[in-house]
């Protein structure tokens, strides 16, 4: 990319593999605080993923981490990335390597756009909390929450013979702010 330096954390083989001449390599970090400090030093966060079944199942965590520190993101358009990034508002989604490169170049060339998108990204990331995102975890666990938000019911409460399945999530009434799932004891 014209005028860009690729910043990497970790694997020293990546710049050679990509054929990148201008890069800054940081060592692996052991503390999360250091990782976020390094990420905050970036002007554009990139999440390039090959569109395949494995990557379609990846979460948007890396994009969210960049957004949390106010860095606009360019990510491959995959289902989970689309759930997080509003294309052209708080980041960019790209369908092809050429589009990906063009979106990164757009952000490199336009500091105002970078600043505005970064601020919007940080605002969106700040609104994401366990409380706000808990429903996205209920579905894969086979749980449904009542309209009031205070009940959690198991989608699988009965076994094959109609008997309760020990250890499966049971109905639990909890305050809306707690949102906890209780499980039945295998011995009780």
């Amino acid at each position: 990319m014209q005028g860009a330096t690729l910043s990497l954390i970790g694997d020293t083989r990546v710049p050679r593999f990509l054929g990148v001449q201008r890069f800054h390599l940081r060592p692996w970090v052991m503390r999360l605080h250091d990782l976020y400090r390094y990420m905050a030093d970036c002007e554009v966060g990139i999440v390039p993923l090959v569109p395949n079944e494995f990557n379609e199942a990846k979460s948007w965590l890396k994009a969210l981490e960049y957004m949390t520190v106010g860095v606009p993101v360019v990510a491959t358009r995959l289902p989970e990335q689309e759930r997080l990034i509003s294309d052209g508002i708080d980041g960019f989604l790209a369908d092809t390597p050429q589009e990906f490169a063009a979106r990164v170049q757009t952000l490199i060339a336009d500091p105002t756009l970078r600043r505005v998108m970064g601020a919007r990204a940080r605002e969106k990331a700040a609104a994401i909390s366990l409380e706000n995102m808990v429903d996205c975890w209920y579905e894969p666990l086979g749980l449904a929450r009542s309209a009031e938000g205070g009940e959690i019911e198991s989608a699988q409460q009965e076994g094959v013979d109609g008997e309760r399945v020990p250890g499966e999530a049971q109905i639990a009434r909890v305050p809306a702010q707690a949102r906890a799932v209780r499980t039945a004891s295998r011995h009780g």
Side-chain angles (χ1 to χ4, degrees), residues 7-181:
S7 290
L8 300 165
I9 299 171
D11 196 333
T12 59
R13 299 171 296 176
V14 173
R16 286 191 302 268
F17 175 78
L18 296 175
V20 175
Q21 301 302 314
R22 293 178 55 182
F23 63 92
H24 180 253
L25 186 62
R26 295 183 185 261
W28 288 106
V29 294
M30 299 304 287
R31 295 179 343 161
L32 197 55
H33 175 78
D34 293 333
L35 174 65
Y36 291 146
R37 189 167 36 87
Y38 291 165
M39 292 175 87
D41 287 343
C42 296
E43 294 182 333
V44 179
I46 60 171
V47 185
L49 299 167
V50 174
N52 61 35
E53 189 175 352
F54 177 78
N55 286 336
E56 285 182 12
K58 281 191 170 185
S59 77
W60 37 249
L61 181 60
K62 184 57 62 194
L64 178 63
E65 288 174 322
Y66 280 119
M67 293 169 76
T68 298
V69 296
V71 174
V73 176
V74 178
T76 304
R77 185 183 305 274
L78 291 172
E80 287 300 306
Q81 308 311 316
E82 285 184 299
R83 287 179 57 180
L84 176 66
I85 299 167
S86 299
D87 192 25
I89 297 171
D90 50 31
F92 283 125
L93 296 166
D95 293 304
T96 66
Q98 296 78 13
E99 184 181 9
F100 196 100
R103 299 292 197 184
V104 171
Q105 198 64 50
T106 296
L107 286 169
I108 290 169
D110 190 340
T112 302
L113 180 60
R114 260 194 334 263
R115 193 170 40 258
V116 169
M117 272 193 173
R120 288 178 183 155
R122 186 175 188 140
E123 185 177 312
K124 180 181 271 184
I128 295 174
S129 67
L130 178 59
E131 182 67 22
N132 294 337
M133 299 303 296
V134 73
D135 287 331
C136 77
W137 289 302
Y138 284 171
E139 185 179 332
L141 294 174
L143 302 173
R145 188 164 50 144
S146 72
E148 298 83 38
E151 281 185 10
I152 302 166
E153 298 180 8
S154 172
Q156 282 190 330
Q157 292 182 5
E158 295 184 0
V160 183
D161 299 324
E163 295 181 22
R164 284 216 171 290
V165 179
E168 292 294 322
Q170 304 297 322
I171 296 173
R173 295 189 182 279
V174 295
Q177 61 271 28
R179 304 269 198 271
V181 176

